[in-house]
Amino acid sequence: MNALVPYRRLTIKIGSALLVDKTGRLRAQWLANLASDLAALKTDGCEVVIVSSGAIALGRGLLGLSAVALTLEQSQAAASAGQIALSQAWAEALGRHDIVTGQILITPNITEERRYYLNARTTIATLLGLGAVPIINENDSVATAEIRYGDNDRLSARVATMIEADCLVLLSDIDGLYTAPPAKDPDARHLPEVRVITPAIEAMAGGAASHLSRGGMTTKVEAGKIATQAGTAMIIAKGTEDHPLKALTEGGRHTLFYPAESRAQARKRWIMGSLALAGTLSVDAGAARALLTGKSLLPIGVTRVTGEFERGDAIAVLNPDGIEIARGLAGLDSDEARLVMGKRSDAVQELLGTSNRAALIHRDNMVLVGAKEESHELG
Ligand code: GLU
C-alpha cells in the first residue's frame, strides 16, 4: 500500500545520521536518491517542505572537530559552517531535477509568535506556490539555550502544523515505534499505527537517541502530539536505506499516527475557542448573506471597524443588527481595514499596493457563529 497517497502537502524531516556519515561527510549518493524520490512526489502533485538536520554534523567535519565532544560555542560554530554546506547540498541535489530550493532558518519565537509565524508561513506558501522546495532548519548558530528547540523532530512538527501539512514524515534510523526500545528489548514489537497518543504510547518511546541526532523516540512521540492535535498525520519511517520515500509509496514499514481531527476542524476550534477578540467588523446585509454561503469577507461589504487589531488577530463580524454572525482571523490590521472598508477590490489593491491580501477575513480563517455548519463540523 502507498502510505503517502492520501497526502497533498508533506513536511519531511531528515535526521542528521541519514545525511552525514560517521566521519562527518555528506552521504551524497543517498541524498541524490532521495532527491529523485522528492522529484517524483512533486510530479505527482505533492507539495513538499523539508526540515533538514545535519548542519552541526557536517560543520564538525569541516572545522576539524569530529573527534571532540562539542561545547555549546563549538556546536554553534559548527552549525554556522555546516549550514552553508547543507544548503548547498540540497540546492545541488534538487537542482538536478530542476527544483529550486529556499532556505529558512527558524527559532521557536518564529513558530510561536503570531506575527513572525504569519510571515514565515506566507514565505513558505509563496515558495510552494512557485514550485520550490523550502529547506528548513533551526537557526542553531544564534539560538540561545533557552530559546531553541534543540531537536528537529518537534521543530518539524511545528512547521508541519504552521503550514497545515496533511502529513509529517520523520525519516530516521528506525522504522517506527516499538512497544519498547528494540535495541534493549528483544521482545519489542513494531506498531504499524497509533490511533491516539496515550501515556502508554509515550512510555514505549523510552529515551534512546542515535549517535548524531539530538532527538530519540521521545521527541518523535512529542512531535506526534503536536502534529496530530493540529490535524496533521505523522509517519515515522526508516530513512537509512536508499530511496526511503519511494519505499513508503511501495508499502515500506512505518508507524502511522492518526490525526486527532481534520485540519479544518482543528483550525475552527482554535478560532472559536482559544483567542481573545481584538475588534469587530460590521457588515452590510449583502456581505452577511455572502458569508453564510461560504464566501470570504471583502472590504466592500464592511461598514464599520472597531478595536485595534493586527493581521492574524481574532475578530468578530457583526450583521446590520449588531449580532455576531462570524469570527475569524483578520487579513489586514485595523488601520488598513479602516482605510479600505467600503471600497471595491481594485481600489483596495491600489491603496494597499498588494494583490494577495484583498480579503478582510479569508473564508478558510472564518467560522460562522450559530450556523448549522458549525454545529455538525465542531460537534
Ligand atoms: N539542527 C541540528 C542540525 O542541523 C539538528 C537537530 C536534530 O538532530 O534534531 O545539526
Side-chain angles (χ1 to χ4, degrees):
M1 202 191 89
N2 180 344
L4 299 181
V5 90
Y7 310 118
R8 298 284 84 195
R9 183 176 274 191
L10 293 169
T11 298
I12 300 174
K13 183 257 172 178
I14 320 278
S16 298
L18 307 179
L19 275 166
V20 185
D21 69 17
K22 288 192 174 120
T23 64
R25 237 166 289 153
L26 181 75
R27 296 179 68 212
Q29 190 54 49
W30 180 88
L31 180 57
N33 292 333
L34 183 83
S36 68
D37 289 5
L38 290 169
L41 282 173
K42 277 182 55 69
T43 305
D44 284 349
C46 235
E47 292 178 319
V48 181
V49 172
I50 300 287
V51 174
S52 176
S53 303
I56 296 174
L58 274 177
R60 275 176 99 110
L62 292 170
L63 295 173
L65 296 169
S66 298
V68 296
L70 298 185
T71 62
L72 180 62
E73 292 76 12
Q74 284 171 328
S75 68
Q76 295 199 295
S80 160
Q83 186 60 41
I84 294 182
L86 188 62
S87 318
Q88 195 180 353
W90 277 107
E92 274 172 22
L94 286 169
R96 271 180 234 123
H97 300 271
D98 294 323
I99 298 169
V100 176
T101 48
Q103 172 182 273
I104 300 177
L105 298 178
I106 283 189
T107 43
N109 64 321
I110 290 173
T111 50
E112 308 311 313
E113 279 173 40
R114 194 177 308 142
R115 230 162 332 145
Y116 289 113
Y117 171 105
L118 288 170
N119 247 325
R121 194 173 68 172
T122 305
T123 306
I124 294 170
T126 306
L127 283 167
L128 290 174
L130 293 167
V133 171
I135 310 284
I136 298 174
N137 196 1
E138 183 153 23
N139 198 348
D140 290 312
S141 40
V142 298
T144 60
E146 305 79 51
I147 315 173
R148 69 186 319 204
Y149 281 96
D151 67 87
N152 276 3
D153 294 326
R154 290 175 307 143
L155 172 74
S156 64
R158 292 299 290 141
V159 167
T161 60
M162 178 166 88
I163 62 158
E164 300 187 354
D166 316 294
C167 183
L168 166 65
V169 180
L170 300 182
L171 288 182
S172 102
D173 52 5
I174 184 159
D175 57 5
L177 180 66
Y178 285 73
T179 50
K184 291 187 200 145
D185 184 346
D187 294 331
R189 231 174 2 92
H190 177 265
L191 296 172
E193 55 179 43
V194 172
R195 294 262 165 194
V196 182
I197 302 177
T198 58
I201 293 288
E202 289 178 61
M204 288 172 192
S210 79
H211 71 291
L212 285 175
S213 79
R214 301 236 182 74
M217 199 45 82
T218 309
T219 53
K220 291 184 177 48
V221 171
E222 277 174 32
K225 287 207 277 188
I226 296 169
T228 58
Q229 275 162 20
T232 298
M234 185 176 91
I235 287 175
I236 300 179
K238 190 166 175 153
T240 42
E241 313 300 326
D242 281 343
H243 295 290
L245 295 172
K246 186 152 169 269
L248 269 178
T249 65
E250 291 169 354
R253 203 147 103 131
H254 62 277
T255 301
L256 168 65
F257 293 75
Y258 283 81
E261 57 191 341
S262 76
R263 273 186 298 122
Q265 285 170 324
R267 191 172 178 75
K268 291 190 172 185
R269 184 173 46 71
W270 188 70
I271 291 172
M272 285 311 281
S274 53
L275 299 167
L277 294 175
T280 65
L281 301 175
S282 300
V283 301
D284 62 25
R289 265 195 310 276
L291 296 191
L292 295 177
T293 65
K295 299 263 172 23
S296 296
L297 177 58
L298 299 177
I300 189 155
V302 175
T303 54
R304 183 161 178 253
V305 177
T306 70
E308 295 302 320
F309 51 86
E310 291 184 358
R311 188 170 164 232
D313 283 346
I315 52 176
V317 181
L318 310 180
N319 72 8
D321 300 326
I323 294 167
E324 181 180 333
I325 54 168
R327 252 174 217 205
L329 304 181
L332 299 175
D333 65 33
S334 46
D335 290 345
E336 289 171 326
R338 288 191 177 93
L339 188 68
V340 300
M341 66 180 212
K343 303 249 172 14
R344 294 165 53 99
S345 295
D346 43 2
V348 172
Q349 270 183 37
E350 245 167 64
L351 282 168
L352 298 179
T354 110
S355 59
N356 59 354
R357 288 168 57 183
L360 256 168
I361 304 180
H362 191 275
R363 60 182 179 170
D364 291 347
N365 294 331
M366 184 155 41
V367 187
L368 300 177
V369 174
K372 282 199 208 83
E373 175 207 67
E374 181 214 340
S375 57
H376 61 238
E377 279 207 27
L378 295 175

